[in-house]
Amino acid sequence: MDLRCRGVNLQIENFIGGKFIPPLNSKYLENYNPATGKQTSKIPDSTANDIQLAVDAAQQALPLWSKLPMAERIAWLRNIAEALESHKSKIAELESMDTGKPLSLAQRVDAERSIKNFEFFAEHAEQLGEMVFEMADATNYVERKAVGTVGLITPWNLPLYLLSWKIAPALVMGNTIVAKPSELTPLTANLLAEIVSSIGLPDGVLNIVHGLGPTAGQAILEHPKISAISFTGGTETGKIVAKTAAPMFKKLSLELGGKNATIILDDADLDIAAKGAAKAAFTNSGQVCLCGSRILVAESIYDQFIPRLIAEVEAMNVGNPSNEDTDVGSVISMDHMEKVLSYIELAKSEGGIIKTGGKRLRLPPPNDNGAFIKPTLIEGLEINSRTATEEIFGPVASVHKFSTDVEAVSMANRTEYGLAGSIWTSKPRRGKAIAEQIDSGILWVNTWLHRDLRTPFGGVKNSGVGREGGDWSLNFFSELSNICVKDD
Ligand code: TXE
């Protein structure tokens, strides 16, 4: 397949009804590579009219797709995974170009997991059994049906990884899709459209519409024929999603922001913990909702731990994302860089002391106009300071001391978010006991971002509503009905 998306000044179209079509208003938005500042593509500035076309196509495809035997939909997921596999390097190349993340990270995380998502949900759906509940005088048959046409809205930090995480279960449960990727990262969504088109996925089953949140995104939220919304993005936007969709009784899955704690207990292996804490804080330039941006350290080992942590952070090579030895690339955009730098200034005004980093990094050409920030550690902040409670979503982490496990738990929970966290200790049972007291959806002991896709993924408080992953995704993307048949 001759891929159109070389990602260099590419004009991207909407993928609707199996065809690539321009926005009805013929308006386009420019998209840039944040590591060079150069334009890479243009995307449709779609409106409700384009969403209407996509919903019409999805509705037209729904009867056949939802009635297809599950085995055939599972086969389609495997076809998509296979086709993605043969374009794995292209996925990584486009993802790095769109986000400024290191190519090596895009290969290891984004490309691998995008393919894995389709493989996993094919396998997981295959294990779905009959649900029959016997009574003394009757039998209950629980039937799974498709929800219908679903709306998927995704962010810019892990573009195809998060889009495929929603598309795969939605498709296998018989739904048709209207998806809107972030306007900052259209390239791999476009590649996916190219791929499903080339392998002949039935027209209208998957529709990808590009555009801005308040216009194209909002139109998805408001459309009466879209019966469920799965959203990943910022908490503020999550509020808009909920306000719009809830009164329409749409099913809602909201994966929002986080301000996660990394807790270093006094019995931790300091070298392992320093590596783990640095990875959790600065992977993807801190632009993962699971990142550990608050590092809580037992005061008895604080003086031994901090130098190790600083050494790990300063060993991270910030550079051209295309270079093999680059550990940290640019952040997603100049605007986001300014937002993150403003938080570093805020930290200083709140009494924070910069231990390393703390400023924009100017690299040589071709990255001299890139949005690079040195990974930054800040100490001396109050745990309830704005810097230590608001989501920054960049390569900035604060370090804090605690004296007891009770205090560590209290500090970890001192945030409006409740998504994730990690605990580092030489006694896993002690770590698990602490994890059980932290109000978050996902906790790791002596590891981070170690994912079993069968487990529930999601957060509490301002980190969202609902869970995705394994059965939770299959249940979200299906409607259950119970048929009770009285014994004759
Ligand atoms: O999210 P947005 P962005 C957090 C992080 C980041 C903030 C903003 O704090 O700084 O969110 O990031 C679409 N109706 N996370 O800009 O704005 C938008 O077009 C419908 C955490 O990515 O929420 C995009 O496709 N849709 C998150 C998607 O929502 C709307 C990962 C996300 O955009 C809309 C990324 C509207 N009114 C950011 N407004 C995580 N949990 O992983 C915007 N959108």
Side-chain angles (χ1 to χ4, degrees):
M1 170 185 64
D2 170 30
L3 282 182
R4 290 178 315 125
C5 40
R6 281 157 205 72
V8 179
N9 286 327
L10 174 74
Q11 176 156 310
I12 286 175
E13 308 296 4
N14 288 328
F15 180 63
I16 296 175
K19 295 178 183 56
F20 289 91
I21 57 172
L24 294 175
N25 61 9
S26 305
K27 285 190 184 153
Y28 289 85
L29 303 163
E30 292 173 349
N31 176 43
Y32 295 87
N33 175 342
T36 62
K38 289 195 170 39
Q39 184 183 343
T40 57
S41 58
K42 289 197 293 188
I43 69 165
D45 184 7
S46 302
T47 67
N49 297 333
D50 304 287
I51 296 298
Q52 184 58 53
L53 284 187
V55 172
D56 291 345
Q59 288 280 292
Q60 206 169 343
L62 185 60
L64 267 182
W65 183 255
S66 60
K67 291 186 178 55
L68 212 56
M70 173 69 93
E72 289 189 35
R73 293 197 298 260
I74 287 170
W76 272 114
L77 258 54
R78 291 196 165 114
N79 293 346
I80 296 171
E82 208 175 299
L84 285 171
E85 179 71 37
S86 59
H87 291 93
K88 195 182 326 191
S89 54
K90 176 55 81 177
I91 297 171
E93 179 196 326
L94 294 178
E95 219 62 303
S96 176
M97 191 184 288
D98 239 353
T99 61
K101 71 175 72 184
L103 183 61
S104 57
L105 179 69
Q107 287 161 341
R108 193 173 67 247
V109 173
D110 299 74
E112 286 295 339
R113 179 62 190 279
S114 300
I115 296 159
K116 176 77 184 159
N117 284 341
F118 285 99
E119 291 168 345
F120 167 75
F121 279 110
E123 189 185 330
H124 203 70
E126 222 157 35
Q127 291 158 17
L128 276 181
E130 296 289 307
M131 288 189 278
V132 177
F133 299 86
E134 298 288 354
M135 299 168 81
D137 60 350
T139 303
N140 295 275
Y141 302 91
V142 177
E143 304 294 323
R144 282 181 189 278
K145 292 177 186 163
V147 176
T149 292
V150 299
L152 312 180
I153 301 177
T154 47
W156 48 253
N157 60 327
L158 294 159
L160 192 56
Y161 173 126
L162 290 172
L163 182 60
S164 56
W165 179 240
K166 299 174 189 294
I167 287 178
L171 286 183
V172 83
M173 297 316 288
N175 303 283
T176 55
I177 294 170
V178 176
K180 192 201 80 66
S182 171
E183 56 279 18
L184 300 176
T185 52
L187 295 180
T188 48
N190 185 59
L191 173 65
L192 178 65
E194 293 256 355
I195 284 173
V196 301
S197 167
S198 74
I199 64 174
L201 185 71
D203 294 350
V205 166
L206 172 62
N207 303 282
I208 296 179
V209 182
H210 297 274
L212 298 171
T215 41
Q218 191 72 23
I220 290 175
L221 302 182
E222 292 170 356
H223 200 291
K225 292 283 187 192
I226 289 182
S227 311
I229 301 285
S230 176
F231 171 81
T232 296
T235 293
E236 286 316 301
T237 310
K239 290 174 184 172
I240 297 171
V241 176
K243 195 168 57 182
T244 311
M248 300 173 80
F249 299 110
K250 294 175 190 250
K251 288 187 88 170
L252 265 187
S253 170
L254 300 174
E255 302 290 343
L256 308 178
K259 189 72 178 185
N260 311 306
T262 299
I263 300 175
I264 315 297
L265 296 181
D266 57 7
D267 61 7
D269 176 310
L270 299 186
D271 293 324
I272 293 174
K275 277 188 190 334
K279 180 183 169 198
F282 299 111
T283 294
N284 205 37
S285 292
Q287 299 168 132
V288 181
C289 53
L290 302 166
C291 277
S293 50
R294 296 180 297 148
I295 303 169
L296 314 182
V297 184
E299 64 185 350
S300 59
I301 49 118
Y302 187 87
D303 294 342
Q304 295 92 331
F305 178 74
I306 293 300
R308 287 175 168 84
L309 178 62
I310 291 171
E312 287 297 333
V313 175
E314 292 184 344
M316 290 179 168
N317 178 21
V318 186
N320 181 332
S322 307
N323 294 351
E324 261 308 300
D325 63 351
T326 292
D327 303 307
V328 177
S330 75
V331 294
I332 186 67
S333 67
M334 295 306 275
D335 287 350
H336 194 54
M337 181 187 75
E338 294 305 336
K339 172 183 169 185
V340 175
L341 291 173
S342 73
Y343 269 103
I344 293 172
E345 292 315 305
L346 171 68
K348 292 176 194 168
S349 71
E350 293 188 306
I353 299 150
I354 309 292
K355 301 298 284 182
T356 185
K359 56 184 183 302
R360 178 180 182 179
L361 192 63
R362 293 277 184 179
L363 293 177
N367 303 112
D368 44 331
N369 291 321
F372 294 85
I373 299 175
K374 277 186 75 62
T376 299
L377 283 175
I378 305 170
E379 76 172 3
L381 287 165
E382 291 298 321
I383 195 68
N384 58 358
S385 62
R386 280 188 55 204
T387 312
T389 49
E390 294 176 15
E391 186 185 46
I392 299 170
F393 216 63
V396 178
S398 53
V399 286
H400 309 265
K401 287 179 192 171
F402 66 86
S403 51
T404 64
D405 290 7
V406 170
E407 189 185 9
V409 167
S410 161
M411 289 167 77
N413 286 332
R414 293 250 349 220
T415 166
E416 311 162 350
Y417 295 99
L419 187 57
S422 62
I423 297 111
W424 300 79
T425 170
S426 58
K427 299 185 187 69
R429 291 166 61 86
R430 182 183 173 198
K432 185 172 180 299
I434 288 176
E436 287 165 356
Q437 301 168 64
I438 294 175
D439 305 328
S440 290
I442 304 138
L443 289 144
W444 286 284
V445 177
N446 295 330
T447 185
W448 178 74
L449 203 59
H450 192 39
R451 293 274 292 116
D452 179 331
L453 304 187
R454 296 169 299 175
T455 59
F457 181 97
V460 296
K461 302 194 280 186
N462 282 3
S463 290
V465 176
R467 296 294 183 271
E468 295 189 347
D471 290 345
W472 289 271
S473 291
L474 300 187
N475 288 335
F476 177 75
F477 286 114
S478 51
E479 286 296 2
L480 301 178
S481 54
N482 183 57
I483 302 166
C484 176
V485 180
K486 185 84 170 52
D487 297 344
D488 49 19

